[in-house]
Amino acid sequence: MRTQGTNALDASKLLPLYHEAELKHWTMTQYWAMADLLDIVPLARNAGVRPEDLIITVPDESVCSALYLAGQHGFSEFGGVRMDSTTVADRVARGAKYLYVLGHDTAVTGRLDGWLGKRILEHGEVSIYDLRRVPLMERYRRVSSTAAQRLFAWAGSSKGVWWCALAFFLFFLSASWRDHAKIPLDDWRSDLRADAAGYYIYLPGLLHHGMRAAAVKDSVVELAGNGYSLDRERDRIVTKYTYGTALLMAPFFLAAELVEGFGNSDGWSRTHHQAMEVAGLFYWTIALVLLALALRRWQPTGNGVALLVLGCVAFGTNTFYYAYRYPAFSHVYSFFLVALSFYAIHADGRAPMRRAMRWLFIVANALIVVVRPIDGLAVLALYALLWVARPGLLLSWRLYGAQAVLGVLFAGPQLLYWKFVHGSWLFYSYGEEGFTHWAEPKWMEVLFSPHNGTLPYAPAFLLLPFGIAVLFVRARATAWTLSLLLLFVVYSCAAWHAFHFGCAFGMRPLVQYTPFLAIALWSLFTWMGERWRSVGYGAAPLLVLVCFVNYRMMLEFEACYMGDDHDWLPFGRTLFQAFFGRAPF
């Protein structure tokens, strides 16, 4: 009765045996992984599984234990058989009609791509899939062991994911360096100007000048698009932005210093620009991988859904723009931290949350606030998702205490900076900028305006209501969390004194909230694969096309929208030039 299950034992299940060696032995062998098969027979009958139907059980290296408990004849992995898509196709050809998946191990479900489309029953840790619902052409494709099929399966494995991520990163990095090399460092389109310079200045400002203004030339400030200022009277470098983004940039800045030689540049060289371009794409790529891994542990599904969701998040929104074109803005770093925190919640699947993952969750949340304090909204939502996934932590005061302590520690350097520059431990550095439209928020502009509205530049958000509707059926608490979070986030953007947030591609404060969009899309696409598979196949090419068009738009967009809030002509011009060259209008 021993298998590769994921459920650990507690001592009470071993009574009247008490020896620690026995507890360790049975925990390692996962004795109770088949517990949900004990009462599954009547449920399976109601779902349409007949006594004479052949089934496949996976993961299952026992001789016939799972088959016996399920009350069926069929196939297991006994004898070293590794059940993957091709093996399942062979068993289907030999008469198998249903697939019993025991547990939620993504290493198992990832190699069954194409056969998990029609789930007819979910009972505890056991899911039953109807193999007869897979189209004949799909069955044929699965039986044929082509190089493309093997490559796709490998790409979904743990090792394959990271190798693909490396290739993905290197491809866009080489393109980024090539494109940015065409832009002079003193050009207004340079990627270390304006807001980006305000975040970045902590690094050269601290390491080269001790945040003193005396040795900084006014021409350097102008070169940086006045993203920060100099207080000559008090000899201070002044920036309104918090230091969290610079903290995440620091390893890449130090690498640039090593290449240039410490003290041989002012920290604004081409090498430093390239280092920030590496940083943006690095954090973006890692965030996408962590997001995919977390979602697969949250709700196991095939590689096709994972690719479609990642494509929508990466290119169907404006996240790519802030990893590739303007990597020194804060948004891609916040995007990474939200994905990291979400990964920490689900990294251990259904097993208890390890201490390392708790600390990872806490640190990521603290950094989210340090990068952009308003994103404390994201931290609240992440805690809500933690409580949904792990209700036992709801009353964990030790967790909250650790979060408070880490929050204060990470906030410490910012408080010291405010005291040094402004003479006060707490200071609102944005001056007259604020939520001046709180009583009359710009809802329509934030959602639909060609001047950095959400939907024109992040069309994947059009699917958000459908994803949340599916979540209300499958995971109501998660649906409420996402709904309330995004409502407050959009309101905060609509209430800001400049809803468009200056020069930007789309609604840039929503970049760090796209991992929550991914949760809704993952649930939507999984549901479509189970219920309306043909519709999903038809919609996938359209989604890919929309993402590609948006990707081309991001490459073409200069930096600022040259039109008013309701003028669509510049938007149309950018869209035209993304494919056909210089527009005649």
Side-chain angles (χ1 to χ4, degrees):
M1 296 289 289
R2 288 166 282 178
T3 74
Q4 298 173 327
T6 57
N7 292 336
L9 281 177
D10 57 56
S12 64
K13 291 183 178 179
L14 289 178
L15 296 176
L17 306 178
Y18 299 99
H19 199 281
E20 285 296 322
E22 292 169 321
L23 177 62
K24 181 179 180 181
H25 169 76
W26 291 113
T27 297
M28 291 291 291
T29 53
Q30 306 295 335
Y31 184 82
W32 284 98
M34 298 184 184
D36 290 313
L37 289 174
L38 292 173
D39 57 352
I40 203 169
V41 173
L43 300 175
R45 297 290 177 265
N46 290 335
V49 182
R50 299 176 300 178
E52 64 271 20
D53 291 334
L54 297 182
I55 69 169
I56 303 170
T57 54
V58 59
D60 178 19
E61 294 184 348
S62 66
V63 179
C64 59
S65 299
L67 295 172
Y68 172 79
L69 292 175
Q72 306 289 146
H73 293 288
F75 309 93
S76 69
E77 294 180 307
F78 176 72
V81 175
R82 186 176 183 272
M83 204 64 70
D84 56 19
S85 295
T86 304
T87 313
V88 171
D90 174 73
R91 301 303 187 267
V92 169
R94 292 161 62 179
K97 295 182 179 179
Y98 297 97
L99 175 66
Y100 284 49
V101 178
L102 316 179
H104 302 279
D105 189 349
T106 55
V108 174
T109 57
R111 62 178 190 254
L112 299 174
D113 183 55
W115 297 104
L116 303 180
K118 184 61 179 179
R119 182 166 57 191
I120 62 172
L121 177 64
E122 183 176 16
H123 177 55
E125 294 288 308
V126 179
S127 296
I128 302 179
Y129 297 88
D130 189 343
L131 300 175
R132 300 170 302 172
R133 301 295 180 91
V134 180
L136 290 176
M137 289 303 296
E138 181 73 5
R139 296 191 195 187
Y140 175 77
R141 190 174 72 85
R142 292 299 168 189
V143 173
S144 59
S145 181
T146 63
Q149 187 270 339
R150 290 184 179 275
L151 178 62
F152 191 67
W154 173 80
S157 65
S158 298
K159 184 183 294 185
V161 164
W162 290 107
W163 278 109
C164 290
L166 177 61
F168 186 80
F169 165 74
L170 293 176
F171 170 80
F172 283 111
L173 178 61
S174 63
S176 174
W177 280 358
R178 182 185 66 245
D179 289 348
H180 282 101
K182 301 174 184 177
I183 302 175
L185 296 183
D186 59 352
D187 192 280
W188 68 277
R189 298 167 299 167
S190 172
D191 56 0
L192 279 180
R193 285 179 62 86
D195 291 20
Y199 290 110
Y200 176 76
I201 187 58
Y202 283 100
L203 297 170
L206 180 63
L207 294 181
H208 290 287
H209 309 296
M211 297 307 285
R212 300 278 183 177
V216 182
K217 299 179 181 179
D218 291 330
S219 60
V220 175
V221 181
E222 294 177 5
L223 187 68
N226 297 305
Y228 60 96
S229 61
L230 303 176
D231 184 345
R232 296 292 187 186
E233 182 178 346
R234 302 184 65 242
D235 192 23
R236 302 287 191 268
I237 297 175
V238 182
T239 177
K240 65 183 179 181
Y241 305 101
T242 51
Y243 84 99
T245 302
L247 180 63
L248 292 174
M249 291 176 177
F252 303 90
F253 175 83
L254 293 175
E257 288 288 299
L258 184 64
V259 172
E260 287 285 318
F262 187 80
N264 292 337
S265 76
D266 59 2
W268 299 88
S269 69
R270 176 67 70 180
T271 301
H272 290 85
H273 280 250
Q274 290 178 328
M276 296 307 103
E277 289 148 19
V278 174
L281 287 168
F282 172 81
Y283 284 115
W284 179 65
T285 303
I286 297 299
L288 291 173
V289 173
L290 293 176
L291 193 57
L293 294 176
L295 289 168
R296 289 178 66 172
R297 286 166 171 79
W298 170 62
Q299 194 175 95
T301 189
N303 293 342
V305 168
L307 287 175
L308 203 55
V309 170
L310 291 184
C312 286
V313 170
F315 304 111
T317 70
N318 50 350
T319 58
F320 172 73
Y321 187 81
Y322 290 99
Y324 185 91
R325 291 294 302 273
Y326 287 96
F329 278 66
S330 66
H331 308 292
V332 72
Y333 304 93
S334 297
F335 171 69
F336 162 75
L337 292 170
V338 172
L340 181 64
S341 181
F342 182 68
Y343 171 78
I345 295 173
H346 295 285
D348 296 315
R350 302 298 179 90
M353 193 176 185
R354 287 172 291 162
R355 179 176 296 179
M357 290 300 105
R358 295 190 191 191
W359 281 109
L360 188 64
F361 177 77
I362 291 169
V363 170
N365 290 340
L367 286 172
I368 287 171
V369 177
V370 170
V371 171
R372 280 186 90 241
I374 187 63
D375 289 334
L377 291 170
V379 173
L380 293 177
L382 288 163
Y383 264 99
L385 294 178
L386 176 71
W387 299 329
V388 171
R390 304 182 181 281
L393 294 178
L394 179 61
L395 298 178
S396 177
W397 299 109
R398 182 178 298 179
L399 177 70
Y400 304 141
Q403 184 70 80
V405 171
L406 261 292
V408 171
L409 287 177
F410 277 108
Q414 189 63 54
L415 302 181
L416 289 172
Y417 172 75
W418 283 337
K419 180 67 175 177
F420 172 73
V421 172
H422 303 292
S424 175
W425 292 105
L426 294 175
F427 185 79
Y428 184 73
S429 57
Y430 280 75
E432 295 182 359
E433 299 178 58
F435 301 97
T436 56
H437 295 300
W438 64 269
E440 296 180 350
K442 306 288 186 178
W443 292 103
M444 298 300 291
E445 287 84 351
V446 165
L447 293 176
F448 302 109
S449 174
H451 190 183
N452 301 341
T454 301
L455 298 178
Y457 301 94
F461 273 97
L462 286 166
L463 297 174
L464 178 64
F466 303 99
I468 288 181
V470 173
L471 280 171
F472 267 109
V473 175
R474 309 183 70 159
R476 186 175 296 272
T478 301
W480 276 114
T481 299
L482 267 59
S483 300
L484 293 174
L485 167 69
L486 294 173
L487 177 65
F488 281 115
V489 170
V490 172
Y491 171 76
S492 70
C493 296
W496 190 245
H497 74 100
F499 78 88
H500 46 73
F501 288 85
C503 289
F505 183 88
M507 192 55 51
R508 54 189 175 97
L510 292 185
V511 167
Q512 49 267 37
Y513 292 91
T514 53
F516 299 100
L517 169 67
I519 297 172
L521 295 182
W522 190 275
S523 186
L524 173 63
F525 296 156
T526 300
W527 177 80
M528 290 179 68
E530 295 172 356
R531 300 292 182 88
W532 289 353
R533 195 172 184 83
S534 58
V535 175
Y537 281 140
L542 178 60
L543 288 175
V544 171
L545 176 61
V546 170
C547 291
F548 178 71
V549 171
N550 202 56
Y551 163 72
R552 293 294 304 173
M553 284 272 290
M554 287 186 278
L555 293 178
E556 179 62 29
F557 191 78
E558 288 289 359
C560 298
Y561 190 75
M562 303 303 181
D564 62 33
D565 297 347
H566 304 286
D567 181 9
W568 285 90
L569 184 62
F571 180 90
R573 184 184 299 119
T574 302
L575 181 60
F576 181 92
Q577 292 179 170
F579 294 94
F580 305 111
R582 187 173 182 82
F585 55 90

